[in-house]
Amino acid sequence: EGTGVDMDDSGGTSEGGNRARGRSRRELPPHAVSILKAWLVSPEHFHHPYPTAQDQAQLMAETGIDKKQLKNWFTNARR
């Protein structure tokens, strides 16, 4: 449907193995992804998918992710 919310939360990685403590791509915990998706597709946010500072603080508390992870997830989800 082109909603932009089919983020990969499968838990599998297609990168080649674990690197020696490098910054490899880490996926968010599935429960965090489901909370973020629910916010994104909710009727009050669907047409303006930009969380306010208050929304961001609440989402970070609910999901346990940091601000950078939150901003990156929303940037990718809106694509």
Side-chain angles (χ1 to χ4, degrees):
E1 289 176 315
T3 59
V5 292
D6 55 349
M7 302 298 297
D8 181 13
D9 57 354
S10 64
T13 58
S14 58
E15 282 79 35
N18 291 336
R19 293 185 177 87
R21 303 315 290 159
R23 284 271 162 172
S24 64
R25 179 174 175 273
R26 298 302 313 142
E27 292 172 6
L28 299 181
H31 92 280
V33 174
S34 61
I35 290 169
L36 296 173
K37 282 183 179 179
W39 189 96
L40 189 67
V41 301
S42 64
E44 64 268 35
H45 303 121
F46 187 78
H47 294 293
H48 187 77
Y50 297 88
T52 63
Q54 188 174 359
D55 290 333
Q56 289 177 25
Q58 182 178 350
L59 289 167
M60 287 186 291
E62 288 180 27
T63 60
I65 65 175
D66 64 31
K67 189 167 190 163
K68 184 174 182 179
Q69 289 173 305
L70 185 71
K71 286 176 150 292
N72 285 340
W73 189 89
F74 273 98
T75 299
N76 292 326
R78 287 189 295 258
R79 289 182 179 164

